[in-house]
Amino acid sequence: MPTRVCCCCSALRPRYKRLVDNIFPEDPKDGLVKADMEKLTFYAVSAPEKLDRIGSYLAERLSRDVVRHRSGYVLIAMEALDQLLMACHSQSIKPFVESFLHMVAKLLESGEPKLQVLGTNSFVKFANIEEDTPSYHRRYDFFVSRFSAMCHSCHSDPEIRTEIRIAGIRGIQGVVRKTVNDELRATIWEPQHMDKIVPSLLFNMQKIEEVDSRIGPPSSPSATDKEENPAVLAENCFRELLGRATFGNMNNAVRPVFAHLDHHKLWDPNEFAVHCFKIIMYSIQAQYSHHVIQEILGHLDARKKDAPRVRAGIIQVLLEAVAIAAKGSIGPTVLEVFNTLLKHLRLSVEFEANDLQGGSVGSVNLNTSSKDNDEKIVQNAIIQTIGFFGSNLPDYQRSEIMMFIMGKVPVFGTSTHTLDISQLGDLGTRRIQIMLLRSLLMVTSGYKAKTIVTALPGSFLDPLLSASLMEDYELRQLVLEVMHNLMDRHDNRAKLRGIRIIPDVADLKIKREKICRQDTSFMKKNGQQLYRHIYLGCKEEDNVQKNYELLYTSLALITIELANEEVVIDLIRLAIALQDSAIINEDNLPMFHRCGIMALVAAYLNFVSQMIAVPAFCQHVSKVIEIRTMEAPYFLPEHIFRDKCMLPKSLEKHEKDLYFLTNKIAESLGGSGYSVERLSVPYVPQVTDEDRLSRRKSIVDTVSIQVDILSNNVPSDDVVSNTEEITFEALKKAIDTSGMEEQEKEKRRLVIEKFQKAPFEEIAAQCESKANLLHDRLAQILELTIRPPPSPSGTLTITSGHAQYQSVPVYEMKF
């Protein structure tokens, strides 16, 4: 019961106290006396200077009632305070607010849940009031701490616990709304406050129901859910907080998220982490997206030594963030993202290589195997992120990223790459090569350049083709697929999938355009280089079916995208050269590979003959394929790449009808107006330093040098007996000059004709080839003469074409 005073004393009391006392009924169950409350409100509005005294007196009464556990009168006092706050907006309300906040703090400090909820509700109403002028001295540190503690309530009664948590979340939301609108009152964004607010919200958000994190932004909660579900209400408050963040305080709101996820070990599994960062990316202003990405990259660097699944979880979160940021403003972090991801890719490969080296053969335990698989999860996550980010970049940025990644690929014998592979070893180096090329393949997917020069500039084409010479069939496959991504500008590659004899190419409905001038210039400059790498790629001993399929697709795409009449002739010459190499077999290829090359040539000539639509050419190709079907099915792709295909013992005994003949092709094309003079000139691949850099044998089609060091137990008499005997008849034959003039004239005529009709690129390639060969031969011979073998058994054998000159002791040769 309220304290009663006599009439004389009551008359002497101040009016504001009398008005305040009158709003309290004798029985608190009757509630606030509305008539007396209207009088008090009118008095407060008429005399705003009395507001601070009214507030102080109400606070005094409320404090007394709280101590005496008179909850009914506490409810009446808070209702009166709320009504006064809503009615009064003058500058004199500032002292009244201090009394109000003091009363709210008293309620929040009490141990009764009902009073805590009551105080929270009053604070929320106050937070929604827009004051005329801000109060810069007012601080809300106590309320932040108290509301955050309420969010972590562990009351034994589930209903009361939920009620207290909801009150704490609503209180935090009120503090945010009251403080974030004024830039001069930005104390709420200080780390000591964010470290309490954000984890409190995340703690309640962990109870949220499972959502699909792949389809669009997280769904907005309904009004009913906000009031009943702490998780939904916390998520709504978290969105609101992030939506009000600015450039200067964005990081303070994001960093506590990492601390919470680390502390509660929520990176593995990472469903909740992905959900949180999707909320962050969709809630913040688009121009600040790169700040979040930078924070994720920084945290990835900080946790680089953690378990693989933890790193994979962080990378997957980065993927989700990048997927959203790529649709808007990415900012200046493009190269930073790729550089960090490639650095962690190298670290993952290094960890994997160290684990493999650490376990001895035959004693690798299950933990090592599991860790290796986890590292592969990390690597796949990195590649997926790189590919997704790169595929969403504009074309000019994607070109830079392609160059950036290609510059990281280590190629044997070169030092142009910028990635540290000193700790990887051979196995680790191969692994990083595959990972980087897979990343490049993801970035180039869907890239459509108007001209091939834009897609394959020289600074990118040269290192890419160098990588195509590496001695690993999987690496060569990746290089070819990257080239297909860049060449296929009309989406024809899916129609060419699989190497086969196509009955009617017209059924494929291939899309193509007229070759532009830039593409023609590109082929004049780089055509020989492309042919050379296709030629070498076909002759690799570790090729599998997919390699031949990709090489066939390369030839077909060049024909569709880049071929004019001159390029078509060159491609046919290349195909015939591949057929000849399979027949002669100078590289000692297995029979399967020789038949594979023959099948590739058949599939391509069938394709190109129908593309250029020359009837006689199509007829010749069809006839050869028909004969092969009957007599040598292993020369066709449908048979040779089938399991348990019977292979021939040799190819030398086959009839010419099974082969594509140059003279018949030239005759058929010449009748249709093609310039076929170059078909009579065999294709000779250009020799470059790449052969030595890629651990290959030097390519020598016209002259080869072979040094044979015989064993020391061979007597020197045998060597002398192998030398040619010099006689009078031999000298006379050598001196005889009859017919020399005619031979010289014929040679001169052939040279002139060649320089008149052969393409400049071919002449330059052959000249460079001869120069390189001469340089290599002189270097080897000079080395032998400077350092002669220890015994007279060393001999030098020089072969030219198919003729072999008599061996002589090396130390007897004079220059």
Side-chain angles (χ1 to χ4, degrees), residues 470-478 542-544 547:
M470 292 186 288
E471 290 188 331
D472 188 284
Y473 72 94
E474 188 175 357
L475 295 174
R476 297 195 301 275
Q477 290 174 7
L478 290 170
D542 61 341
N543 278 342
V544 295
N547 289 88

Side-chain angles (χ1 to χ4, degrees), residues 351-352 354-360 363-376:
F351 292 153
E352 183 181 15
N354 291 337
D355 293 337
L356 291 175
Q357 293 175 0
S360 59
S363 63
V364 180
N365 55 30
L366 295 177
N367 292 332
T368 302
S369 177
S370 176
K371 192 172 181 181
D372 293 341
N373 294 331
D374 291 345
E375 289 296 345
K376 288 181 172 60

Side-chain angles (χ1 to χ4, degrees), residues 462-498:
D462 293 340
L464 181 65
L465 291 179
S466 295
S468 73
L469 296 178
M470 292 186 288
E471 290 188 331
D472 188 284
Y473 72 94
E474 188 175 357
L475 295 174
R476 297 195 301 275
Q477 290 174 7
L478 290 170
V479 172
L480 290 173
E481 289 176 336
V482 169
M483 291 184 63
H484 296 170
N485 281 344
L486 298 174
M487 282 186 181
D488 185 20
R489 293 171 289 176
H490 298 89
D491 297 323
N492 292 311
R493 184 173 34 166
K495 304 171 185 176
L496 301 169
R497 185 170 295 134

Side-chain angles (χ1 to χ4, degrees), residues 122-342:
S122 295
F123 183 85
V124 172
K125 293 178 182 178
F126 161 71
N128 293 327
I129 296 175
E130 295 184 5
E131 301 181 49
D132 296 336
T133 56
S135 178
Y136 301 117
H137 67 280
R138 191 185 303 154
R139 296 184 64 87
Y140 297 91
D141 299 8
F142 168 80
F143 296 98
V144 171
S145 300
R146 190 60 194 161
F147 289 138
S148 299
M150 291 170 64
C151 290
H152 293 83
S153 174
C154 297
H155 199 279
S156 57
D157 189 341
E159 293 184 1
I160 295 177
R161 181 170 65 245
T162 300
E163 189 177 7
I164 295 175
R165 288 186 179 183
I166 289 176
I169 297 169
R170 295 180 66 238
I172 289 177
Q173 194 173 31
V175 173
V176 171
R177 291 176 178 176
K178 197 66 179 175
T179 57
V180 297
N181 289 330
D182 196 337
E183 294 181 359
L184 298 178
R185 220 172 18 176
T187 56
I188 192 67
W189 295 108
E190 294 177 357
Q192 63 266 28
H193 298 320
M194 287 290 105
D195 290 344
K196 298 174 183 176
I197 292 175
V198 174
S200 300
L201 298 176
L202 296 178
F203 175 77
N204 287 275
M205 287 170 57
Q206 284 179 244
K207 306 298 181 181
I208 199 166
E209 298 178 357
E210 193 71 19
V211 294
D212 189 359
S213 60
R214 298 181 182 178
I215 305 176
S219 58
S220 299
S222 63
T224 306
D225 292 336
K226 295 179 185 178
E227 299 296 332
E228 299 177 355
N229 193 337
V232 177
L233 183 62
E235 180 179 322
N236 183 64
C237 183
F238 189 51
R239 293 172 185 273
E240 185 175 349
L241 175 68
L242 294 167
R244 297 174 183 268
T246 60
F247 179 84
N249 48 47
M250 173 62 62
N251 294 340
N252 290 340
V254 175
R255 285 171 184 166
V257 178
F258 293 105
H260 180 82
L261 297 175
D262 289 343
H263 180 71
H264 293 276
K265 300 179 179 179
L266 297 174
W267 294 112
D268 177 31
N270 68 337
E271 287 80 5
F272 179 71
V274 169
H275 182 65
C276 286
F277 277 92
K278 289 192 70 174
I279 292 174
I280 292 173
M281 297 302 295
Y282 280 114
S283 300
I284 62 175
Q285 301 180 45
Q287 62 268 29
Y288 303 147
S289 297
H290 62 278
H291 280 283
V292 180
I293 295 176
Q294 284 179 327
E295 290 295 322
I296 299 175
L297 292 173
H299 194 69
L300 181 61
D301 285 336
R303 304 298 299 271
K304 63 183 179 182
K305 295 184 179 181
D306 282 20
R309 289 188 175 271
V310 172
R311 288 180 279 129
I314 300 175
I315 294 169
Q316 289 171 357
V317 167
L318 177 64
L319 172 62
E320 295 292 339
V322 162
I324 300 171
K327 300 175 183 177
S329 173
I330 300 176
T333 59
V334 176
L335 283 179
E336 182 181 354
V337 170
F338 285 97
N339 192 37
T340 302
L341 289 174
L342 292 178

Side-chain angles (χ1 to χ4, degrees), residues 488 491-500 502 505 508 510 549-550 552-558 560 607 611:
D488 185 20
D491 297 323
N492 292 311
R493 184 173 34 166
K495 304 171 185 176
L496 301 169
R497 185 170 295 134
I499 180 171
R500 64 194 188 281
I502 303 173
V505 175
L508 301 181
I510 292 175
E549 291 178 353
L550 293 173
Y552 163 74
T553 305
S554 299
L555 291 168
L557 286 176
I558 294 175
I560 296 171
F607 175 81
M611 286 295 293

Side-chain angles (χ1 to χ4, degrees), residues 456 458 461-462 521-531:
L456 289 170
L461 179 63
D462 293 340
S521 300
F522 173 85
M523 288 305 294
K524 286 185 177 179
K525 182 178 180 181
N526 302 294
Q528 295 297 326
Q529 195 175 3
L530 292 174
Y531 306 150

Side-chain angles (χ1 to χ4, degrees), residues 700-770:
V700 181
D701 291 323
T702 56
V703 180
S704 64
I705 297 178
Q706 178 184 4
V707 177
D708 297 328
I709 304 298
L710 303 178
S711 56
N712 293 332
N713 56 0
V714 179
S716 59
D717 294 338
D718 294 342
V719 178
V720 175
S721 64
N722 288 331
T723 61
E724 183 179 357
E725 184 179 0
I726 301 176
T727 62
F728 175 80
E729 292 294 328
L731 291 175
K732 180 181 179 182
K733 191 175 182 180
I735 296 173
D736 187 9
T737 59
S738 61
M740 290 293 292
E741 294 182 0
E742 292 298 325
Q743 294 179 6
E744 290 296 329
K745 287 181 180 181
E746 181 64 16
K747 284 184 179 180
R748 199 174 295 113
R749 187 187 65 79
L750 292 174
V751 170
I752 294 173
E753 181 179 325
K754 181 177 180 180
F755 274 84
Q756 286 177 342
K757 297 181 179 181
F760 173 79
E761 292 79 5
E762 182 180 338
I763 297 172
Q766 291 186 355
C767 291
E768 185 175 356
S769 173
K770 291 180 179 180

Side-chain angles (χ1 to χ4, degrees), residues 340-446:
T340 302
L341 289 174
L342 292 178
K343 179 177 68 176
H344 284 276
L345 181 62
R346 181 189 61 80
L347 285 174
S348 178
V349 173
E350 183 177 335
F351 292 153
E352 183 181 15
N354 291 337
D355 293 337
L356 291 175
Q357 293 175 0
S360 59
V361 178
S363 63
V364 180
N365 55 30
L366 295 177
N367 292 332
T368 302
S369 177
S370 176
K371 192 172 181 181
D372 293 341
N373 294 331
D374 291 345
E375 289 296 345
K376 288 181 172 60
I377 294 175
V378 175
Q379 295 160 14
N380 291 331
I382 293 175
I383 292 173
Q384 188 178 8
T385 305
I386 289 175
F388 192 90
F389 197 6
S391 61
N392 282 278
L393 290 174
D395 289 345
Y396 72 93
Q397 283 186 322
R398 201 191 299 201
S399 299
E400 294 178 359
I401 297 305
M402 288 160 49
M403 290 291 302
F404 181 75
I405 297 176
M406 195 66 236
K408 299 281 186 179
V409 178
V411 179
F412 179 79
T414 65
S415 58
T416 56
H417 58 88
T418 58
L419 200 66
D420 183 16
I421 58 171
S422 57
Q423 304 296 325
L424 297 180
D426 291 341
L427 184 62
T429 301
R430 178 188 179 274
R431 184 71 177 163
I432 197 67
Q433 288 171 335
I434 292 176
M435 294 294 106
L436 289 173
L437 289 175
R438 285 180 59 193
S439 303
L440 186 61
L441 181 63
M442 294 282 287
V443 173
T444 57
S445 179

